[in-house]
Amino acid sequence: MITGKYTGLSSDQVEQQRKKFGSNLIKSKNPPKWLEIIVNILSEPLFLILVATAGIYFLLGEQNEAYIMLAALVFVSGISLFQENRSSKAEKALQSILEPKTKVIRNSNLMLLEIQELVVDDIFMIEDGEIVPADAILLESHDLSINESILTGESVALYKGSDSKDFEIFQGTQVMSGYAVAKVRHVGISTKLGEIQTSLHQIKSEKTPIQIQIRSFVSKMVQFGLFAFLIIWAIQYYITQNFIFGLLKGLTLSMSLLPEEIPVAFSTFMALGTLHLYKKQVLVKNPMTVETLGGVTVICLDKTGTITENKMQLKGLYDLRQDQISDTENLQTSHLTVLEYSMWASEESPFDPMEQSIHQLYEKLNTKDLRKHFRMVKEYPLTGLPPVMVHVFENQEGQQIIACKGGLESVLKLCKLQEEDLSRIMNKYDHFANMGHRVLAVAKGKTYVTDLPDDPYAFEMEMLGLVTFYDPPKQNIAETIHSFYKAGIEVKILSGDYANTTSAIARQIGIKNTDKTITGSEVMAMNEQSLVSVIKSKTIFARMFPEAKCKVIQALKNSGEIVSMTGDGVNDGPALKASHIGIAMGQRGSELARKTASLILAQDDLSRLVDAIALGRRIYENLKKAIQYIISIHIPIILIVTLPVLFFWDINDFFSPIHVIFLELIMGPTCSILFENEPIEPHSMSKPPRKAALDLFTWGELNLSILQGLAITLVCLLLARYYMYINQPEDKVRSMLYTCLVFANIFLTLVNRSFIESVLKTLRYKNKLVPIIIGISLIALMLSLSVPSIREIFQFDVLNYKELLLCLCLGLLSVIWVEVYKWFQRKSLVVL
């Protein structure tokens, strides 16, 4: 074992090295998170308006109103801080899981540590798919190749070790093949990556389409708010000749116009969505990924480790010379030659499960273990498509063993077979592949070679036979695939394995259209236009390599699909990055795959992706409901402030900044917390995903929200106009108008919980926040109407039960008509 060769540092030595050279941590130059939060809060338009309003009240000597504005200011800022704190905690918890780890030898023991724990002179192990944790010098290497593009810009993998005479490896580079043991030379800021860290911080993430749509909408509303503010200020000044009073009315309108709940709701939905997935063992790096999940139209699956157990075990052998098949349970002694040479062609200390199973069976069946009598004199790096591995061993007597194993096509290039032998081995290959086995060919060098060539393809080999491995499908994978199809999501398999093997596994788990396959070479030979048309009819993509996978994914994207790609190996990295949502396996996935992906399945359970897609759809649905609600309830507030002024009503200042800010405080939690907690719509996972090109709202949905707002406005202003007509005092009119609007807001919340299902059905939905939010709204209303000191600040009058009942009925009437629209929606769905 490797750990027996090295003792590593002791605990005391680790502390000494850490004090002397520091930790393996590159500190970010970005400003502290708390400072960024404060800057964002201070720059919010609503914050600035509240500060201005409080200042004006102080100037006017109205201390109570000023303190109320300051209290509202603290409350609004507190909500933002609370939400940011929750998001920050989730992010820290997520990063602690996502933090790369490495295998380190200390005190003669092999342990798994976070890379920041490494110190100078630590001894660590790396293997394919991992990220090099620190600048180091190689102590030993086996088929080690590393991509140093993060440092050099060159994407070609470089071989490291004794053959290349290059023993240096650097932090942040990616292991593409093989494994090695290395000793740390530099950590943290002293590494090459640390020296160029400033260039890495220049990378900026792009905004998602929905972020752009929301930012554009809010920006237009802010611009319109500024224009309306100036108009109302000018009109009020003309009417009253009071500069300050006009300014207050303008600020009141600005507060009613600002849809600050929309970005708050959006960020809250995304942050809480990330938390929900985190609890389901789905780790999302960027919260904005959550919403995109709901729109996935095509899922490209890697075979090994994603739909199979990734427990590749030796299952059988075929001896070409005897033309006989044996399974591992009743392997005949006469077939040991195939097993022995497959062992010699494997790593001496294997980390790959297939090679481990070869060594284990060799140990079990051979009474005389030849491994301790032979030493490896030449190890050729993996080469070819599919790759082959060639090892050369010698003993003290000069006996030589030249062993080769790998993909059948490549091994055949090293062997000269008679037509009959070629036919036999191809038939047996098809036999195993159709059973879903992975098949490797095994060959031996024919003659003693004194001068070993540089190219393994220069050897003349004798074909010995085949070894087969079986990696069974995961137990729940068939149900998961069925769920994808039910949700209208197309499933494709992009595998590096042979077509027969991939198709056999695909049939076992219920993949459709498995008889039509295409290879990576065929993909690369097609032009973009031809490929776009072909991929629609193909499901199985076999013998795929990184460039071919990327080309397929790009073709899918060009045809308008939202593409998700799963993978766990090094060769999946480019495809994961090319897709809209790259999904890596958390347990068996390579470090490169986890680093590249935007989402990680912590338990390697693909069924969690069904939960993630359902959550994405739920978030999208509920976000639309929240924004439609915001549009609907903002319209009456805006028009109640504006229309009486524009039409020169006798009473035209129904709402002051205090009324508007309290309405805002009710609406904010309603849309950002209540709607976020709504369950997914029935049948949401039984219909096709939304089209990527569609805007956030259709004209029908937008018009419905506007109509709801106009209906509430009409009812509220008619009520006010009637009470003005019967000569009721201004405080009474204001009280009735405000109360009617609060009741309308409550009913609007209930009705907008679904735009398909009736309110009677949605009342049975499980959402514990509904009674809490509604209860708070009613308590706040009753306190403002019944407590004299609060009533005086709001300039309200006492309402009797008949007046309250009238406001309740009118509030219900202003929104209940939407139920008729929903009834027609349900009827149309039944017809379809």
Side-chain angles (χ1 to χ4, degrees):
M1 294 295 290
I2 287 178
T3 50
K5 300 179 184 178
Y6 309 100
T7 58
L9 298 178
S10 66
S11 300
D12 291 338
Q13 289 173 324
V14 169
E15 289 305 316
Q16 291 172 7
Q17 294 293 82
R18 183 168 286 121
K19 290 178 182 178
K20 187 175 181 180
F21 299 103
S23 298
N24 191 30
L25 186 65
I26 301 176
K27 296 182 179 179
S28 172
K29 291 186 177 181
N30 294 327
K33 186 69 175 177
W34 62 267
L35 183 59
E36 183 182 344
I37 294 172
I38 292 175
V39 170
N40 288 338
I41 292 174
L42 294 178
S43 60
E44 287 180 1
L46 182 61
F47 182 93
L48 300 175
I49 290 173
L50 286 172
V51 170
T53 306
I56 292 172
Y57 275 129
F58 276 121
L59 289 175
L60 293 174
E62 298 180 9
Q63 306 296 324
N64 290 336
E65 287 81 354
Y67 287 127
I68 289 174
M69 287 292 103
L70 291 177
L73 191 67
V74 172
F75 186 79
V76 170
S77 302
I79 290 176
S80 298
L81 285 170
F82 173 73
Q83 290 170 336
E84 289 287 355
N85 186 51
R86 290 185 70 184
S87 300
S88 180
K89 285 183 177 179
E91 184 179 346
K92 287 180 180 178
L94 180 61
Q95 288 303 321
S96 67
I97 295 177
L98 296 176
E99 186 70 37
K101 295 178 174 61
T102 190
K103 294 181 282 293
V104 185
I105 300 173
R106 286 182 181 171
N107 299 309
S108 300
N109 295 317
L110 184 65
M111 55 186 66
L112 194 64
L113 298 177
E114 293 181 357
I115 63 171
Q116 65 187 37
E117 295 295 320
L118 282 178
V119 298
V120 173
D121 289 339
D122 255 330
I123 295 175
F124 63 89
M125 296 174 59
I126 50 170
E127 60 187 46
D128 63 337
E130 294 183 346
I131 305 298
V132 177
D135 288 3
I137 192 77
L138 291 173
L139 300 179
E140 64 175 274
S141 65
H142 304 270
D143 289 333
L144 184 69
S145 67
I146 290 183
N147 185 322
E148 296 183 348
S149 59
I150 193 172
L151 299 175
T152 65
E154 297 291 335
S155 59
V156 178
L158 303 174
Y159 282 96
K160 300 277 185 172
S162 56
D163 289 339
S164 66
K165 307 302 180 184
D166 183 357
F167 295 91
E168 288 186 291
I169 56 176
F170 304 100
Q171 183 181 36
T173 56
Q174 302 161 357
V175 182
M176 306 306 292
S177 67
Y179 72 102
V181 180
K183 186 174 184 179
V184 176
R185 295 180 64 189
H186 302 289
V187 294
I189 200 68
S190 299
T191 63
K192 278 197 173 184
L193 185 62
E195 294 172 359
I196 60 171
Q197 64 170 334
T198 52
S199 63
L200 298 178
H201 293 306
Q202 295 173 358
I203 301 173
K204 295 181 180 179
S205 58
E206 296 181 0
K207 300 293 183 184
T208 63
I210 194 170
Q211 282 179 287
I212 295 171
Q213 291 171 353
I214 288 175
R215 174 173 287 188
S216 175
F217 177 77
V218 173
S219 176
K220 289 176 182 176
M221 289 298 292
V222 170
Q223 294 171 16
F224 180 69
L226 179 60
F227 175 75
F229 162 74
L230 295 173
I231 295 294
I232 293 298
W233 187 4
I235 293 175
Q236 280 289 7
Y237 176 71
Y238 172 76
I239 295 173
T240 64
Q241 295 297 305
N242 189 321
F243 181 86
I244 297 298
F245 182 75
L247 180 59
L248 272 177
K249 291 301 294 183
L251 289 173
T252 303
L253 177 62
S254 298
M255 290 168 60
S256 65
L257 273 168
L258 286 177
E260 77 285 340
E261 302 96 338
I262 294 179
V264 171
F266 179 71
S267 60
T268 301
F269 276 42
M270 298 304 112
L272 294 181
T274 302
L275 273 175
H276 293 324
L277 288 178
Y278 172 67
K279 293 175 182 177
K280 292 179 178 290
Q281 298 294 299
V282 178
L283 312 178
V284 181
K285 294 181 181 179
N286 185 351
M288 301 310 161
T289 304
V290 177
E291 181 273 330
T292 311
L293 277 167
V296 168
T297 59
V298 178
I299 293 178
C300 298
L301 301 177
D302 176 51
K303 181 178 73 69
T304 305
T306 300
I307 61 179
T308 63
E309 295 283 356
N310 198 15
K311 296 178 179 177
M312 195 70 75
Q313 293 294 312
L314 185 62
K315 188 69 176 177
L317 296 92
Y318 169 65
D319 190 316
L320 176 63
R321 289 181 293 187
Q322 299 185 39
D323 192 23
Q324 289 184 346
I325 294 175
S326 297
D327 60 44
T328 53
E329 294 181 1
N330 59 2
L331 186 63
Q332 300 178 27
T333 308
S334 58
H335 296 163
L336 286 180
T337 302
V338 178
L339 175 63
E340 286 179 358
Y341 272 84
S342 66
M343 184 275 296
W344 292 120
S346 302
E347 293 292 350
E348 293 178 284
S349 300
F351 60 90
D352 181 83
M354 293 191 298
E355 294 190 343
Q356 288 176 348
S357 65
I358 291 173
H359 275 266
Q360 289 166 3
L361 187 60
Y362 174 83
E363 291 174 3
K364 178 181 177 182
L365 297 178
N366 279 274
T367 55
K368 185 179 181 181
D369 191 344
L370 297 177
R371 290 177 298 183
K372 51 191 172 184
H373 301 293
F374 283 81
R375 66 180 184 87
M376 186 185 295
V377 294
K378 182 73 172 179
E379 179 179 25
Y380 290 90
L382 284 170
T383 184
L385 282 175
V388 294
M389 178 178 285
V390 177
H391 290 165
V392 181
F393 290 84
E394 284 186 1
N395 64 7
Q396 292 181 348
E397 287 76 32
Q399 291 180 308
Q400 192 178 68
I401 295 175
I402 303 173
C404 168
K405 78 173 189 320
L408 180 60
E409 302 101 311
S410 296
V411 176
L412 284 173
K413 295 176 183 178
L414 294 164
C415 305
K416 294 179 181 180
L417 290 180
Q418 298 294 326
E419 192 65 33
E420 182 182 353
D421 288 340
L422 180 61
S423 177
R424 282 209 307 264
I425 204 158
M426 294 303 296
N427 287 336
K428 293 301 184 294
Y429 163 76
D430 289 338
H431 166 75
F432 286 121
N434 289 331
M435 295 169 59
H437 290 205
R438 183 175 181 184
V439 186
L440 295 178
V442 180
K444 61 177 285 190
K446 285 187 174 182
T447 58
Y448 183 89
V449 181
T450 55
D451 191 9
L452 295 174
D454 294 330
D455 184 1
Y457 284 92
F459 283 105
E460 185 181 355
M461 297 280 187
E462 176 191 353
M463 178 70 73
L464 295 178
L466 306 172
V467 287
T468 76
F469 305 83
Y470 185 61
D471 184 13
K474 292 180 178 178
Q475 291 184 350
N476 64 345
I477 192 65
E479 293 82 358
T480 301
I481 298 299
H482 175 72
S483 298
F484 290 148
Y485 283 133
K486 185 179 178 182
I489 300 172
E490 193 175 346
V491 181
K492 298 183 183 295
I493 296 182
L494 275 60
S495 174
D497 215 335
Y498 290 95
N500 289 1
T501 305
T502 306
S503 295
I505 295 294
R507 285 192 294 271
Q508 294 175 31
I509 63 175
I511 296 288
K512 299 177 182 178
N513 196 25
T514 58
D515 57 327
K516 299 179 180 179
T517 63
I518 185 171
T519 66
S521 299
E522 291 171 334
V523 167
M524 296 305 294
M526 294 182 185
N527 59 40
E528 184 177 326
Q529 191 173 17
S530 300
L531 184 58
V532 168
S533 61
V534 166
I535 57 175
K536 294 180 180 179
S537 61
K538 302 293 184 182
T539 300
I540 307 299
F541 295 79
R543 305 311 282 161
M544 296 292 283
F545 39 90
E547 295 84 358
K549 289 184 179 182
C550 287
K551 190 171 181 179
V552 169
I553 288 172
Q554 192 59 52
L556 287 168
K557 291 166 67 175
N558 292 342
S559 61
E561 305 288 355
I562 300 296
V563 185
S564 174
M565 171 74 196
T566 68
D568 60 357
V570 177
N571 62 335
D572 296 319
L576 292 174
K577 189 173 183 179
S579 64
H580 290 104
I581 302 178
I583 301 169
M585 302 296 121
Q587 291 184 331
R588 296 183 181 270
S590 66
E591 188 60 46
L592 174 60
R594 290 196 294 269
K595 183 179 180 180
T596 307
S598 50
L599 184 149
I600 298 173
L601 303 178
Q603 300 299 321
D604 293 7
D605 185 357
L606 194 63
S607 67
R608 297 295 185 184
L609 184 56
V610 179
D611 298 333
I613 291 172
L615 179 65
R617 293 190 179 187
R618 178 173 76 83
I619 284 177
Y620 184 78
E621 293 168 353
N622 290 343
L623 183 62
K624 287 182 64 172
K625 294 174 192 175
I627 295 176
Q628 286 182 269
Y629 160 80
I630 291 168
I631 293 171
S632 296
I633 199 59
H634 266 269
I635 289 174
I637 299 174
I638 294 167
L639 295 180
I640 288 170
V641 172
T642 308
L643 291 181
V645 175
L646 295 178
F647 289 103
F648 298 97
W649 284 15
D650 294 337
I651 305 175
N652 60 22
D653 59 341
F654 294 115
F655 288 168
S656 68
I658 292 175
H659 299 103
V660 173
I661 191 59
F662 269 86
L663 287 170
E664 294 277 352
L665 293 179
I666 291 172
M667 292 187 298
T670 300
C671 66
S672 64
I673 299 177
L674 186 149
F675 280 110
E676 191 281 331
N677 207 46
E678 283 291 281
I680 191 171
E681 288 277 9
H683 314 301
S684 182
M685 286 296 287
S686 301
K687 61 183 181 182
R690 67 181 187 273
K691 298 294 183 182
L694 291 180
D695 291 331
L696 186 59
F697 295 111
T698 64
W699 276 110
E701 292 169 334
L702 196 58
N703 289 336
L704 177 62
S705 297
I706 294 172
L707 284 175
Q708 286 187 113
L710 292 176
I712 295 171
T713 303
L714 180 64
V715 170
C716 289
L717 287 180
L718 284 176
L719 175 64
R721 195 66 182 170
Y722 172 74
Y723 268 72
M724 290 170 61
Y725 176 75
I726 60 175
N727 296 318
Q728 290 295 315
E730 182 177 334
D731 287 357
K732 175 71 73 173
V733 178
R734 182 180 293 108
S735 301
M736 293 294 290
L737 177 61
Y738 187 86
T739 303
C740 182
L741 181 59
V742 171
F743 281 130
N745 176 67
I746 291 172
F747 290 121
L748 180 71
T749 303
L750 296 175
V751 169
N752 282 193
R753 292 177 70 190
S754 174
F755 288 100
I756 297 176
E757 304 297 336
S758 72
V759 69
L760 295 177
K761 184 171 183 178
T762 57
L763 283 173
R764 298 195 294 271
Y765 285 180
K766 290 182 179 180
N767 188 341
K768 60 184 179 181
L769 293 176
V770 170
I772 295 174
I773 297 295
I774 291 176
I776 292 173
S777 300
L778 290 174
I779 291 171
L781 175 64
M782 292 302 113
L783 288 175
S784 64
L785 292 173
S786 58
V787 178
S789 58
I790 301 177
R791 190 169 65 236
E792 182 180 348
I793 294 172
F794 278 85
Q795 296 179 306
F796 284 162
D797 196 0
V798 177
L799 300 183
N800 58 45
Y801 77 92
K802 290 183 179 179
E803 291 168 331
L804 285 172
L805 184 60
L806 176 62
C807 292
L808 178 69
C809 292
L810 290 175
L812 175 62
L813 179 66
S814 67
V815 296
I816 199 63
W817 60 270
V818 180
E819 291 300 313
V820 178
Y821 164 83
K822 291 198 281 187
W823 182 81
F824 280 107
Q825 287 289 98
R826 293 194 296 275
K827 292 286 286 184
S828 66
L829 287 176
V830 171
V831 172
L832 291 174

